[in-house]
Amino acid sequence: MTPQTPQVLPPIADPSVHAQIDRLALRYLKAQGLGMQMMARLGNGAEGLIQRLPSFVRSRLDGATRAALTRAFSAASGSRRVLRDRGDMFNRMLSTASGAAGGAAGFAGALVELPFTVTLLLRAMLDIAAEHGLDPDSEAVRLECLRIFAAAGPMTTDDQTDLGLLAARLSVSGQTVQSLVSKVAPRLSVSLGQKMAAQAAPVFGAVAGASINFIFARYYQELARVHFGLMRLEQETGLPPEALTEALRLSIEAQQGR
């Protein structure tokens, strides 16, 4: 088999593009810091709790996540036609209320809450896509939302998850929404299982469910602004996504080293 020739990325000469990329990199880094200490503690504690989830919850978690992702697009898009431009804080508070209700009702309530939470998070992403001048009903935006979900959530301990996700934007362009759902769902279900275990524990309950959902919503909103900011730059500059993604990666690394 003939080896692939490495792609030569065009240089980005416009300083205004670099300035926008630097702002996206800073937003990305802030997303990693939002409530991360709290979520790391909850995540570490929830790892063992997942095994103690009732069998009916564990057996349904992956399928429930897959179904939630599949149905969430219709529900989120439909809600945008009824109520538009709700704003970040509205979405966060609604997600917080959902987490509180799920946590107060224990394991069963947390499982019922799962599709509602996924829909709320997706709705927040679609609002941000529209804010960036993108079509929230387009296939491209829906695929990008799934790639954002592939980051799993702030409870993950995989340091390469999000940067790997940025790279994944370059290699899954030929996939359909359904094929990407099948890849995203198992990873997202692990993170949602951690969330569910933490908020259903007697010590945490409704307070933990509300806090976790607030942080999840804020985290995904920040990642959405990074991803859709790159998409907008692609459209405005005509630069290939590979070049913009590489510039973002370099900017993130440079700001981390400061």
Side-chain angles (χ1 to χ4, degrees):
M1 183 171 58
T2 304
Q4 285 188 332
T5 303
Q7 182 176 10
V8 178
L9 300 178
I12 300 176
D14 188 341
S16 67
V17 175
H18 280 290
Q20 292 182 68
I21 289 174
D22 287 343
R23 286 194 291 270
L24 290 176
L26 181 60
R27 185 178 288 277
Y28 169 87
L29 291 171
K30 286 183 176 180
Q32 305 310 301
L34 296 172
M36 290 300 110
Q37 189 174 6
M38 169 189 169
M39 297 308 289
R41 286 198 297 266
L42 287 176
N44 291 336
E47 289 282 0
L49 284 174
I50 289 179
Q51 300 305 316
R52 293 185 234 168
L53 286 172
S55 58
F56 81 92
V57 174
R58 292 200 309 272
S59 64
R60 293 175 58 188
L61 188 55
D62 188 79
T65 303
R66 191 184 306 271
L69 285 172
T70 300
R71 297 168 186 162
F73 282 111
S74 296
S77 296
S79 72
R80 293 196 77 257
R81 287 189 284 272
V82 176
L83 183 62
R84 290 180 176 272
D85 302 325
R86 303 182 308 176
D88 282 359
M89 189 53 65
F90 183 94
N91 285 324
R92 290 173 193 170
M93 296 314 297
L94 196 58
S95 182
T96 299
S98 171
F107 290 120
L111 190 59
V112 171
E113 176 226 339
L114 183 149
F116 189 59
T117 293
V118 171
T119 300
L120 289 176
L121 294 174
L122 180 59
R123 167 64 198 263
M125 293 179 199
L126 295 178
D127 285 350
I128 291 169
E131 175 188 311
H132 283 72
L134 304 168
D135 179 4
D137 292 323
S138 70
E139 186 85 352
V141 165
R142 293 187 173 202
L143 287 170
E144 201 66 28
C145 287
L146 289 171
R147 292 168 195 142
I148 296 167
F149 270 133
M155 297 178 85
T156 181
T157 56
D158 184 355
D159 292 335
Q160 297 183 354
T161 297
D162 299 322
L163 284 176
L165 175 61
L166 291 174
R169 298 180 69 241
L170 314 178
S171 60
V172 295
S173 57
Q175 290 188 317
T176 64
V177 167
Q178 285 306 313
S179 65
L180 196 52
V181 162
S182 67
K183 293 189 175 182
V184 170
R187 181 167 186 84
L188 182 59
S189 69
V190 172
S191 183
L192 292 176
Q194 286 181 301
K195 182 183 93 71
M196 189 180 300
Q199 73 184 54
V203 177
F204 298 115
V207 174
S211 301
I212 293 170
N213 270 31
F214 182 88
I215 293 173
F216 262 67
R218 196 173 181 184
Y219 171 81
Y220 281 121
Q221 285 170 335
E222 293 301 303
L223 282 191
R225 284 199 160 80
V226 173
H227 282 255
F228 293 128
L230 283 182
M231 286 186 70
R232 182 174 64 184
L233 276 175
E234 289 172 26
Q235 293 185 358
E236 291 176 348
T237 66
L239 289 165
E242 295 87 351
L244 292 170
T245 301
E246 176 65 9
L248 177 64
R249 184 186 67 79
L250 292 174
S251 180
I252 289 171
E253 291 180 350
Q255 295 191 49
Q256 281 176 324
R258 291 175 187 172

